[in-house]
Amino acid sequence: MIRAALLLHLCTAADPYYERGLAAARAADLARAKASFTEAGETASALQALATLYLIDGDVAKAVAARRKAKTIDPQALPPLAVLFRDGDACGGLGDVYWSGAFLLKKLDETNVSDDVAFEGHLQLSTVLEDSGALVEASEHVRRASLLKPDDARLRFRSALLVPA
């Protein structure tokens, strides 16, 4: 089992699409990263990376589904974009977003994507994304949070503070 996981990891690491996805993520080029990880195929690492990118896009259901599929393939696989940040790569200012996204995905997965957790996640990601300069993505998370709890006072406060994209 360990040998199979090691071989899967070595094959994933040598995949040129996967490596391009990592390079794009380091450069904060989200669209190119997503395209490259998609081309890399359904490996645990590529799916973990896609889960983070789907979450940044605001597609919680797709993000959780990708994470679950990755964990089915390799329960020990770490989210590669969060690992970049952990290892000191700022990823064009999005490293903290990748890091926070990994923890939020775990929580969403473990709570079966409850509305309360999704709402809190959207608020958290909107803040981290705005702080990182990703205003379009931050605005999308505020919009999605407002669909879940339109009358929440924190959301009104967050919406008032968010710089328009």
Side-chain angles (χ1 to χ4, degrees), residues 42-61:
E42 292 194 347
T43 65
S45 295
L47 287 166
Q48 285 274 18
L50 284 168
T52 301
L53 296 170
Y54 294 146
L55 185 64
I56 290 169
D57 282 347
D59 193 337
V60 173

Side-chain angles (χ1 to χ4, degrees), residues 34 53 120 122 144 152 159:
K34 191 187 307 179
L53 296 170
E120 295 298 331
H122 284 303
R144 293 210 181 211
D152 190 278
S159 296

